[in-house]
Each structure stands twice: as structure tokens, then as C-alpha cells.
Amino acid sequence: KTKEVDKLKEFLGSQKAFLSWKLDGLTIVLTYKNGVLEKAVTRGNGEVGDVITNNAKTFKNLPLRIAYQGELILRGEAVISYSDFEKINAEIEDPDAKYKNPRNLCSGSVRQLNNQITAERNVKLFAFTLVKAEGVDFENSREKQFLFLKEQGFEVVDYIKVTPDTI
């Protein structure tokens, strides 16, 4: 995480890398077994999170079933677009009740007891890390992992391949 190009070039050395957006939402860990979404949890405090499986099933772009039949675990960022954030805030009359930013709105949305509210808020998930896909050899390639996730129906965070000369 840096905003300084020179520091990033120094970090890369002679290596290639993927440069991607740092989305400001809520990290979600998803587990699929036998091709079915089994569990979704928030990152919480890093050790214990909230189980939000029923709400995750309402995310606009999240596949509930995938072709891969092994255990698949991935991390993604749940986000609400600025346009949806502004639309939701416009419907709230009390200025003190308005949401401060899309991240806070998303965080509250995925923890709703009524998943219909979550569904109405157009939460989307962008995968950014493949944690486990048993039996699949990705040859230590992040790109192959992203392509695999796309093949399963996930949207992945936008990324671009870079070298120190092309940043």
C-alpha cells in the first residue's frame, strides 16, 4: 500500500506485479463446497467475524453456484457504489441519520437481520484473493488465480500487469 511510485518501483526491483485498486468496502471471506456457497463471514477483528451467509446470497453479482466442485475459499471486497450511496442518502430526510460514506453503509447493510434490506442496497463483491482451491495448480500465478475466479463467475478487482518501467 503506497501512493509513491518510486517506493513501488524500489519494492518491485526487477519483478513483474499486478497493480489493482484498493477498494474501500468490507472484506468478506467466502467458502464454497461442492459448487455451492456454504459460508460468508466478515473479516471482523482479524480472528472472529460475523457470519453473513444469508445476506451475501443477495449480493448483486455473487454466484451462489459455481462449476468447481472442491473446497474454494476466497476473499473479496463488498462495496456499494457512490451512485447507490447517494440515492439511499437522498431518501433519508433527517440530515443526522444520513450515512457518512459508502463503506459505513455497506458495513451496516451486510449485517442486516432482514436480508431484503441488503438486497435493496445493491451490494457487489469483487474478489481479490484466492485463499484455497484444493487440487488446482496455479503455478504460483496470481493471474491464473484471477482467471480461474472469473471462470467460476466472480468479478475480480480490476488489475493491470506492471513492471518497474511501466508503472
Side-chain angles (χ1 to χ4, degrees):
K1 297 177 187 177
T2 184
K3 294 180 181 180
E4 297 179 39
V5 174
D6 288 338
K7 285 188 177 185
L8 185 54
K9 285 182 179 183
E10 182 182 327
F11 172 78
L12 283 178
S14 62
Q15 301 295 310
K16 297 176 186 173
F18 284 117
L19 192 62
S20 66
W21 294 108
K22 166 67 173 92
L23 299 177
D24 191 20
L26 184 69
T27 299
I28 306 293
V29 179
L30 302 165
T31 301
Y32 288 77
K33 289 187 181 173
N34 300 316
V36 178
L37 176 62
E38 181 178 88
K39 189 175 183 181
V41 296
T42 65
R43 189 174 63 109
N45 64 9
E47 293 183 25
V48 178
D50 297 316
V51 176
I52 57 147
T53 309
N54 287 333
N55 288 343
K57 290 178 180 179
T58 70
F59 292 0
K60 295 301 178 195
N61 63 341
L62 187 67
L64 302 181
R65 295 187 166 276
I66 59 174
Y68 177 72
Q69 294 297 298
E71 182 178 34
L72 175 70
I73 302 173
L74 66 125
R75 285 189 186 92
E77 198 78 356
V79 297
I80 293 177
S81 71
Y82 278 98
S83 59
D84 284 329
F85 166 72
E86 290 167 358
K87 189 181 339 176
I88 291 165
N89 259 353
E91 295 171 1
I92 300 171
E93 291 182 22
D94 179 1
D96 293 331
K98 291 183 184 284
Y99 293 95
K100 303 292 183 218
N101 55 57
R103 185 190 186 290
N104 287 359
L105 174 59
C106 187
S107 180
S109 297
V110 302
R111 292 180 172 98
Q112 287 290 322
L113 296 178
N114 178 350
N115 69 0
Q116 183 62 37
I117 294 171
T118 307
E120 292 169 359
R121 293 187 177 168
N122 295 321
V123 178
K124 286 188 163 186
L125 185 112
F126 294 91
F128 63 80
T129 301
L130 176 62
V131 177
K132 178 181 180 181
E134 59 187 16
V136 181
D137 181 11
F138 296 103
E139 301 168 3
N140 199 29
S141 167
R142 175 77 73 184
E143 184 171 32
K144 288 184 179 183
Q145 292 176 6
F146 279 160
L147 293 173
F148 174 80
L149 289 171
K150 285 181 182 182
E151 288 169 4
Q152 301 307 311
F154 297 98
E155 284 189 61
V156 300
V157 66
D158 287 338
Y159 64 90
I160 185 169
K161 283 190 216 182
V162 296
T163 66
D165 296 328
T166 62
I167 293 176

